[in-house]
Each structure stands twice: as C-alpha cells, then as structure tokens.
Amino acid sequence: MDRVRRIFFASNMRKTTFLKLKVREASFISRALLSTRHPVLAHLIPMRRCNLACGYCNEYDHTSKPIDLEIVKGRLNKLADLGTAIVTISGGEPMMHPELDQIIQHIRSRGMIAGLISNGYYFTPERIKRLNKAGLEYLQISIDNVEPDEVSRKSLRVLDKKLRYLSEYADFHVNINSVIGGGIKNPEDALSVARRAVELGFSTTVGVIHDSDGTLKPLSAREKDIFQQVKKLGNKDHARLNWFQDSIAEGKPYNWRCRAGARYLYICEEGLVHWCSQQRGYPGIPLDQYTMEDFDREYKTEKWCAATCTLQCVHQVGILDNWRDPQKTPAQMAEEQKSGKGVGEMIGAD
Ligand code: SF4
Ligand code: SF4
C-alpha cells in the first residue's frame, strides 16, 4: 500500500476506533455516575526502568527488571474484579517491557479500556502494528520541548519521525500532551508541539506544571497567552474537564475532592496501591489485599495536596463525584475509626 493510502486508511481506522472508544467511555461514565463503588481509572506500572532521565522525574530507574507477565496478569485480574473501567500502562517506559502486547491483550480480555503512556522513543511501523493487533485503544505521549536540552529529551525534533509513523500506522487514538510553566525555557514550544499534533491528526492537551521547587506560581502573561492558544487547538472535552488548570495558571489553589485510592488507583511496580505517582506510600497496601473497606476510606479521605495538584487524569476522575460525598481529613477519619464506628456508618457509603 502506498504511503498516502496508508495514512488515509490509518486515519479512518482511528476514527472508527475513536468512535467505538467514545461509546464505551460513555457507558463507563454512566456506570460511574450511577455507582461510586468501583475504580474508574488505574495506572499500572509493569516496569520502572526508563531509557531516559528527565530532570524533573522521580518515577524511573535504569536497572530494574520487567515485572513477570503472570504477576501483572494477576494484578489486572484484581483490578477487573474491583470493577475498574480503564487501565493505563505507564512507567518508567512501558514499551521496554518485553510482554507489553500480552499485557494489553489481557486488559481487553477482561473488558477494560486499554491505554498506554510512553515517551515515544520505541515506535516503529512494526511495533505499532503489533500494538494495533494487541488491542491498544489510546496512547499518550508527552513532549516537553522542540529541541532536547539538559532537562528533557522528550523533544519534537527527536520524536517527529515516530509521530509520522503513528500517523501512518496506528489504529488507536493518539494524544500529544505539551507542558507549560515550571520554568520551561521556551513556552512557545508548547504551541509548536500542539500544532504538529493537530497537523498529524492527533488530539492534543496541555499540562500546567509547578515551579521546580514545587511552589505554585502564576504563569507569566506570555505563558498565559500561549496556554490559551494551545487550549484552543486541543480537544474540547479535555478543555471542559480541565477547569482546574485556569486556577493553577493564575497561581491560585483549586477546590476539589481528590478520590485517589478509590476511583483512581496508582499501582507501582511492587504491586502496592498508592494515591498517585506523587504520593507514594499512601496507603501503600498490596493490591491483592485491597478491600472495599480500603476503597471506602480513601474515597472519603481529604487529600492535603489537592489544592495545588496538577495531575490531569485524577482531576478528571474527580469530576464524576465532586458534587457528592464530602470528604474528611485523615485526622478526622482516624478519630472516627478509634471511636469504633464502621466505615459505612462513618462515610454514609452507598
Ligand atoms: S521518559 Fe517519563 S518515566 Fe522516563 S524519565 Fe522521562 S518522565 Fe520519567
Ligand atoms: S491531590 Fe493530586 S497529588 Fe494529592 S493524592 Fe490526589 S492526585 Fe495525588
């Protein structure tokens, strides 16, 4: 097949897959609105190893081995049994896992939506075709800048060839995320990344990040202008779901209810459940021992880091329940547990 026909065919396949994905998402959203008692999204780490070493990242090493396929399948079975709707494989760099295709197949075989977050370095036509066959439904690549620098090599110039392969061969939905704030040298890069993504037929989102010391600072006037331009290029659904970014862009805290540990789960390479990549150790319980009691407690626990949190996917999951079930501080939860009240009574769980 010549290149033009391949791009046309891949783009039509992507539209069909995207529509099917939207229908499945709509049914999962209805289920999530009807019942609060299952996880909506889980991030699963099958490998902490990464081929890169981004300056801001604390989620990788250069030595660890891939987690055995049967162990990963056991974790996926548990997530399916809990009623999880979407599993996103993340890392480290998950494309380095030698059995990634079987992991994706297993997610699909258990009726969950299969997503992947990657730095993009390992995409070849052959590898993309295998991911199509495995049943991958969406992919997100974050691109930090146009030219590589000492902080990040997730750069448009380095990855452009990979993006062209994806445009030509991928049947799955591709989203390109750019970033702004946090002292990123050239805010204009986010606009170049977003424009290239749209040109290649992908959706695009933009993440607002904290300063390198973790403080929340308003974006400069130039950054705000670029942020608005990138948002206009992006997926309207994402823009609607990411109101919190407007507060973060102004350097203001955002009031919401983070449901990490319940509706959103982060499963590290050791199989422990954490609130998220940034709050490892809470609650730090092995997934195979995670019960609905743990789920209920975390659902109702207010997270001290919520006001300045920039994790888009956890915010989006939070929207489903923001209007219901007020939360309590960890101290109030501990006090009530000491007083001997059952979890159901404490939180009025449905
Ligand atoms: S590519 Fe991703 S996991 Fe690897 S170092 Fe960079 S941000 Fe971390
Ligand atoms: S508020 Fe953000 S940083 Fe804190 S637990 Fe939730 S997702 Fe993690």
Side-chain angles (χ1 to χ4, degrees):
M1 209 190 299
D2 64 53
R3 189 166 176 269
V4 175
R5 279 179 61 207
R6 260 200 318 266
I7 292 177
F8 178 75
F9 182 71
S11 146
N12 277 334
M13 268 306 276
R14 263 202 305 280
K15 275 185 202 143
T16 312
T17 313
F18 186 57
L19 284 176
K20 280 192 205 150
L21 181 61
K22 283 277 152 200
V23 171
R24 289 181 71 210
E25 272 178 5
S27 109
F28 284 132
I29 289 170
S30 314
R31 182 159 73 91
L33 285 169
L34 286 173
S35 166
T36 57
R37 305 204 78 240
H38 63 270
V40 176
L41 169 66
H43 272 155
L44 183 80
I45 315 301
M47 174 136 186
R48 193 170 169 79
R49 191 161 174 171
C50 187
N51 54 321
L52 300 183
C54 304
Y56 52 79
C57 178
N58 55 11
E59 298 176 50
Y60 75 96
D61 65 33
H62 284 148
T63 52
S64 58
K65 296 211 162 29
I67 305 299
D68 184 81
L69 178 61
E70 290 310 310
I71 296 176
V72 177
K73 280 186 177 175
R75 291 173 189 168
L76 290 171
N77 289 339
K78 172 74 186 213
L79 289 173
D81 294 344
L82 286 170
T84 308
I86 308 166
V87 177
T88 298
I89 301 295
S90 182
E93 175 45 50
M95 291 283 287
M96 292 174 85
H97 195 293
E99 287 151 327
L100 178 63
D101 296 0
Q102 289 95 314
I103 294 173
I104 291 167
Q105 278 162 4
H106 197 72
I107 297 173
R108 294 298 308 273
S109 76
R110 294 299 316 258
M112 300 180 284
I113 292 179
L116 178 70
I117 295 180
S118 165
N119 62 32
Y121 270 67
Y122 289 100
F123 288 99
T124 61
E126 178 51 34
R127 195 66 196 85
I128 296 166
K129 286 182 203 164
R130 277 170 44 206
L131 289 170
N132 288 341
K133 209 167 154 204
L136 183 67
E137 290 173 284
Y138 72 85
L139 164 73
Q140 171 153 302
I141 299 178
S142 268
I143 301 186
D144 294 340
N145 48 26
V146 172
E147 293 295 332
D149 61 22
E150 62 291 353
V151 175
S152 174
R153 301 188 60 77
K154 294 196 296 186
S155 314
L156 186 57
R157 191 172 63 75
V158 181
L159 290 168
D160 198 71
K161 187 170 152 198
K162 310 293 181 182
L163 299 185
R164 278 183 275 129
Y165 287 152
L166 283 163
S167 170
E168 205 166 321
Y169 295 99
D171 295 344
F172 42 85
H173 179 74
V174 180
N175 184 65
I176 306 297
N177 190 59
S178 55
V179 287
I180 204 151
I184 294 263
K185 276 189 212 149
N186 301 310
E188 289 79 6
D189 283 6
L191 200 50
S192 307
V193 169
R195 283 189 179 136
R196 184 64 177 142
V198 171
E199 201 173 86
L200 289 168
F202 306 143
S203 66
T204 177
T205 49
V206 56
V208 180
I209 55 174
H210 285 160
D211 229 38
S212 52
D213 60 3
T215 52
L216 194 58
K217 272 201 206 129
L219 297 182
S220 67
R222 181 164 147 247
E223 287 171 328
K224 271 188 218 163
D225 178 45
I226 291 167
F227 173 58
Q228 292 305 335
Q229 290 187 57
V230 178
K231 268 206 330 188
K232 271 193 205 130
L233 281 174
N235 180 327
K236 307 261 176 315
D237 291 347
H238 279 108
R240 272 194 290 273
L241 295 174
N242 284 340
W243 294 319
F244 77 96
Q245 289 186 325
D246 293 325
S247 295
I248 302 286
E250 293 296 334
K252 292 182 189 150
Y254 185 74
N255 184 18
W256 66 297
R257 293 172 183 150
C258 169
R259 306 290 183 175
R263 303 286 258 172
Y264 169 82
L265 301 174
Y266 178 89
I267 319 298
C268 73
E269 63 285 3
E270 287 163 12
L272 305 177
V273 179
H274 307 275
W275 282 350
C276 66
S277 62
Q278 300 311 305
Q279 294 295 354
R280 285 175 169 241
Y282 307 100
I285 297 171
L287 176 63
D288 58 4
Q289 294 164 27
Y290 214 65
T291 63
M292 284 315 286
E293 194 167 329
D294 297 314
F295 180 102
D296 289 339
R297 183 193 59 245
E298 299 307 330
Y299 180 82
K300 283 292 173 171
T301 300
E302 189 180 296
K303 314 299 189 302
W304 59 80
C305 35
T308 56
C309 172
T310 58
L311 298 185
Q312 293 180 47
C313 52
V314 196
H315 273 272
Q316 290 173 0
V317 169
I319 289 170
L320 292 165
D321 308 302
N322 230 7
W323 52 281
R324 59 187 165 194
D325 304 326
Q327 294 179 311
K328 298 183 177 181
T329 62
Q332 286 169 328
M333 294 291 286
E335 197 51 46
E336 289 185 5
Q337 267 168 335
K338 258 197 280 165
S339 75
K341 287 186 191 172
V343 172
E345 191 187 342
M346 260 156 43
I347 64 176
D350 62 2

